[in-house]
Amino acid sequence: MYEGVVQNLIDELGRLPGVGPKSAQRIAFHLLAADPADVSRLTEALREVKEKVRFCKVCGNVAEAEECRICRDARRDLHVICVVEEPKDVVAIEKTREFRGRYHVLGGAISPIEGVGPDDLRVRELMQRLADGEVTELILATDPNLEGEATATYLARLVKPMGLTVTRLASGLPVGGDLEYADEVTLGRAFEGRRLLDV
Ligand SMILES: [Zn+2]
């Protein structure tokens, strides 16, 4: 529809999550008209994030070093692991200040429709972390939707022989939604009122 490079930009923007064709076009023209210094900061931020940020080798959270800030923090409780789907869920839970343990980021949830199975997630890595018996409680904080529930049930069954306390966040979270959309108070309460998951 537009000259090659402009259309290129629109196509690339349109591949981002939540950006439809109309928004892609609006952002592209905003960038075309923007101050070159502003655009430079954006390109620099994109370049830097791909260069510097990686995933923590322990928990899978985003990290600027081999291990993330939380895994390196000696004050965090070693006996509790909170399992979440994405790094953004770690941020949401950290905001509540209810949790002092460590995390494990799965990288998604089990979804037969989208062809995502346990092997596509960081399940093996989780089992390795649990192997030495230091962790006594596993909090399953996957999203309160179909895939998240299926993933929580799968994990609870998987770790059952290990004799851990397995808990799930309390109800009150908006069902069908993403953990990150819950407000801090609701998420904090859900944490406090977490219940034993019996499978
Ligand atoms: Zn980590």
Side-chain angles (χ1 to χ4, degrees), residues 5-17 19 24:
V5 286
V6 177
Q7 189 58 47
N8 244 350
L9 178 60
I10 295 172
D11 291 345
E12 287 304 320
L13 290 168
R15 290 170 59 190
L16 299 172
V19 181

Side-chain angles (χ1 to χ4, degrees), residues 131-149:
D132 65 5
E134 197 166 33
V135 175
T136 53
E137 184 184 354
L138 198 63
I139 302 171
L140 300 172
T142 48
D143 287 344
N145 56 27
L146 217 60
E147 292 80 15
E149 293 299 342

